[in-house]
Amino acid sequence: MSLFGKNIRKIRSIKSLSQQAFADIFELKRGTLGAYEEGRSEPKIETIIKIANYFSITIDAILTKELTVNELLKFNGDLESNHNIEKNEFPKIPCITPKDQDSYIKHSENSNYIKDLHHLSLPVEQNKKLRAFIVDNLEMSSDNSGLFPKDIVIGEWIPKSDFDTLENPSICILLTSKDIVLKRIHPSKNKFTLRADHSGIEEYTINHSEVNELWEIRYVFNYRVPELKNNQILNKLAYLEHEFKKLKSSL
């Protein structure tokens, strides 16, 4: 004798279906269903197939194994509510981890190497060339705000042809033949001045020709809860400082 009767009784219990309601779904008589559950009768193969398919349970399982509640809840059939969740396709972004930095400097132009990097799937804008970078120092922090180790920044690629169009200071991932850094860049003609937000770190200037890649930060995913108000103030101060220096140089 199969375990079909016990299993459909358990399914009814999980779904809170009466014998009549369950029988109506499969065009059975309530008495016939009762006979199945009590083991007084075995169903036709067509009925077994119909019920097994409806609940996405294998025929072998529903006949030969006394299914537990946990096992039944794992099936993808009508045992669970159908929420019709629409899944979004997020872009997969190559991510430079602290351990990858040295190899990235050497192999950044190798497309196979980029494919082998860790990739993040995040809810950001599609159809952009992006790079993720995991912060590993305190250079872009100030007091209790800014970027801290384990924060993730997402940068959008800036081609060399657009270097001269950059006007305002912005935080960027910048790659040279010797280093990869996360800094606030202050653009000037054919040059970038690189500054950290953390006090005590000296700024320096490099020529556009020394820059292999430039990724302007568009998104930040903080490892801890950020103090957003302070970050906004820092950005405004950096902008005002930049405008003041432009004004001063024009006098």
Side-chain angles (χ1 to χ4, degrees):
M1 184 177 294
S2 74
L3 295 173
F4 180 80
K6 285 186 177 181
N7 285 329
I8 61 174
R9 186 164 60 245
K10 194 168 292 184
I11 291 170
R12 279 201 310 103
S13 175
I14 293 170
K15 287 292 293 177
S16 299
L17 291 171
S18 66
Q19 279 190 338
Q20 187 62 61
F22 191 97
D24 289 344
I25 294 173
F26 301 102
E27 300 177 346
L28 299 170
K29 293 181 179 179
R30 189 188 66 79
T32 301
L33 181 65
Y36 295 160
E37 291 188 359
E38 295 168 12
R40 293 184 284 107
S41 176
E42 289 290 329
K44 295 179 180 180
I45 186 62
E46 293 84 357
T47 302
I48 296 171
I49 293 172
K50 187 184 294 185
I51 294 174
N53 287 342
Y54 187 86
F55 293 112
S56 296
I57 303 171
T58 64
I59 293 173
D60 180 65
I62 203 170
L63 290 176
T64 64
K65 182 179 180 182
E66 186 171 350
L67 299 170
T68 66
V69 172
N70 286 337
E71 286 174 324
L72 288 170
L73 289 173
K74 290 178 183 178
F75 288 112
N76 296 322
D78 200 50
L79 290 172
E80 301 177 34
S81 299
N82 185 6
H83 298 291
N84 293 322
I85 297 174
E86 183 179 348
K87 293 185 178 180
N88 295 313
E89 289 294 329
F90 297 139
K92 293 183 179 179
I93 308 166
C95 180
I96 307 166
T97 70
K99 291 182 179 179
D100 295 328
Q101 290 185 22
D102 289 341
S103 62
Y104 189 87
I105 294 168
K106 297 177 183 177
H107 306 296
S108 62
E109 295 182 357
N110 187 323
S111 60
N112 290 325
Y113 170 80
I114 299 300
K115 289 179 182 178
D116 288 338
L117 286 173
H118 296 282
H119 281 66
L120 305 180
S121 184
L122 296 169
V124 298
E125 188 175 355
Q126 299 272 10
N127 303 319
K128 297 287 186 179
K129 188 174 181 181
L130 302 172
R131 194 70 82 239
F133 183 86
I134 299 179
V135 181
D136 65 340
N137 56 49
L138 295 171
E139 291 187 0
M140 295 309 298
S141 67
S142 178
D143 296 325
N144 199 37
S145 64
L147 299 173
F148 289 82
K150 297 185 180 180
D151 287 348
I152 299 174
V153 295
I154 310 292
E156 179 182 341
W157 182 60
I158 306 296
K160 286 194 174 186
S161 58
D162 291 345
F163 283 5
D164 288 328
T165 66
L166 295 174
E167 295 181 355
N168 299 329
S170 56
I171 300 176
C172 294
I173 304 165
L174 190 143
L175 175 73
T176 68
S177 60
K178 297 180 180 179
D179 204 3
I180 180 168
V181 297
L182 181 68
K183 288 285 195 298
R184 193 181 298 276
I185 67 166
H186 294 253
S188 56
K189 189 175 181 180
N190 297 323
K191 293 182 179 180
F192 292 129
T193 299
L194 277 58
R195 295 176 184 164
D197 286 351
H198 198 285
S199 61
I201 299 177
E202 292 187 7
E203 65 178 55
Y204 58 96
T205 300
I206 64 173
N207 297 320
H208 287 180
S209 59
E210 299 177 68
V211 180
N212 294 337
E213 291 181 1
L214 188 67
W215 306 84
E216 186 174 6
I217 302 307
R218 301 296 192 193
Y219 311 95
V220 176
F221 293 84
N222 295 100
Y223 187 74
R224 63 175 199 157
V225 178
E227 295 185 17
L228 297 175
K229 185 176 180 181
N230 287 344
N231 282 338
Q232 292 169 359
I233 291 172
L234 281 174
N235 287 335
K236 288 179 180 178
L237 287 174
Y239 174 74
L240 290 173
E241 182 185 4
H242 177 69
E243 291 299 306
F244 177 75
K245 286 191 174 183
K246 283 172 58 178
L247 180 61
K248 186 177 179 180
S249 63
S250 65
L251 294 178

